[in-house]
Amino acid sequence: MKPQDLPFFYTFESRRPLFEPPVLCIPPYFSDHDKYSSLCLESFERLEIEFCSGNGDWIVHRALSHPGIQFVAVEKLFKRVRKIWSKTVNHNVSNLLIVCGDAKDFMRHYVLDGSVDRYYMNFPDPWPKQRHAKHRLLTPEFIAGCRVKARGEALFTLVTDSHEVKEGSRALFENPALTQLDLASYGRSYFGDLWVSHGRTLYQVEARV
Ligand SMILES: C[S@@+](CC[C@H](N)C(=O)[O-])C[C@H]1O[C@@H](n2cnc3c(N)ncnc32)[C@H](O)[C@@H]1O
């Protein structure tokens, strides 16, 4: 399968949440999520979610090496979702659901309270300028939402090359552990490789939510 083999699901006018396994599409600029509660994730023995999955290199490898865990990749750009989808199909990955949509909408409307065991966010867009702050995903409200959906205390792993994002995590999480990341042992991703090739230092933040 090539990424282009996954068709567009709908026009803007006909947009609605749609589940074409393994892809759950949650359209932007949509308000009637409550009418689609049947698309809410079922409960799994162990559920782990990666936000901002990009082209899916990291999560596809993770899902393949942990077949007993149900994973979810959340990515808002359809052209990147297509790449995750083709890798999932070509590698016969059966434990990865791909969400094409905004992580905030997905968490608020399609995830059961108390159902998530672990979160990952690898190289989120930092949006350092204050006038772009509305685009940031890592906010106190988002982390509070992750806490509601967590089963007990869930580990949240944040990986970044941004000094601001790393330092900002101190205000988001309680007692976060900040370390330098070894990408080879953590798992590679497109942006991880890119920043390593630019000689940047990578950081890992781990905290309980
Ligand atoms: C810098 S890339 C990192 C991609 C990947 N994790 C990697 O390491 O290669 C950030 C990704 O986050 C996605 N993204 C940003 N905001 C998002 C949101 N609110 N919901 C879902 N995805 C989002 C972007 O579309 C982009 O693909």
Side-chain angles (χ1 to χ4, degrees):
M1 291 288 180
K2 298 187 291 300
Q4 310 85 275
D5 293 333
L6 180 68
F8 282 107
F9 290 111
Y10 32 58
T11 61
F12 185 80
E13 291 70 30
S14 66
R15 74 196 192 286
R16 63 191 160 82
L18 199 61
F19 185 36
E20 289 282 343
V23 183
L24 170 63
C25 265
I26 304 170
Y29 310 109
F30 186 78
S31 50
D32 282 341
H33 295 287
D34 294 345
K35 290 188 183 154
Y36 294 86
S37 53
S38 62
L39 297 183
C40 191
L41 250 57
E42 56 186 283
S43 128
F44 293 96
E45 204 168 306
R46 187 167 176 90
L47 178 63
E48 303 194 358
I49 299 179
E50 185 202 19
F51 304 114
C52 305
S53 299
N55 70 15
D57 282 345
W58 186 86
I59 192 76
V60 168
H61 184 263
R62 187 102 190 156
L64 279 170
S65 51
H66 295 80
I69 298 176
Q70 177 64 45
F71 289 92
V72 180
V74 189
E75 170 54 52
K76 69 176 179 183
L77 290 184
F78 184 66
K79 66 177 184 187
R80 294 189 176 162
V81 165
R82 279 178 148 170
K83 293 182 177 172
I84 310 175
W85 171 81
S86 63
K87 285 170 192 151
T88 302
V89 174
N90 292 339
H91 290 94
N92 287 319
V93 183
S94 57
N95 57 333
L96 177 61
L97 172 75
I98 306 159
V99 173
C100 180
D102 188 291
K104 295 188 280 306
D105 290 337
F106 170 63
M107 287 301 286
R108 193 172 304 137
H109 301 288
Y110 299 92
V111 179
L112 295 171
D113 289 359
S115 68
V116 186
D117 298 285
R118 191 159 181 189
Y119 298 103
Y120 306 92
M121 193 184 285
N122 299 322
F123 305 102
D125 299 316
W127 297 111
K129 293 190 179 136
Q130 196 45 44
R131 69 174 189 277
H132 294 142
K134 61 177 182 293
H135 297 299
R136 288 180 203 151
L137 187 52
L138 273 174
T139 62
E141 297 72 36
F142 184 71
I143 299 302
C146 290
R147 196 166 292 129
V148 171
K149 306 294 175 170
R151 185 175 1 233
E153 282 200 329
L155 194 60
F156 195 117
T157 300
L158 164 67
V159 166
T160 183
D161 62 301
S162 157
H163 185 74
E164 288 80 12
V165 170
K166 177 194 61 143
E167 287 304 316
S169 72
R170 296 180 195 277
L172 281 174
F173 299 107
E174 221 172 286
N175 298 321
L178 277 54
T179 52
Q180 217 164 298
L181 177 78
D182 172 25
L183 197 67
S185 59
Y186 178 71
R188 296 171 56 190
S189 75
Y190 178 86
F191 276 87
D193 284 349
L194 183 70
W195 299 141
V196 167
S197 76
H198 286 216
R200 296 213 196 160
T201 303
L202 306 183
Y203 308 102
Q204 178 168 0
V205 176
E206 295 223 298
R208 299 257 163 210
V209 294

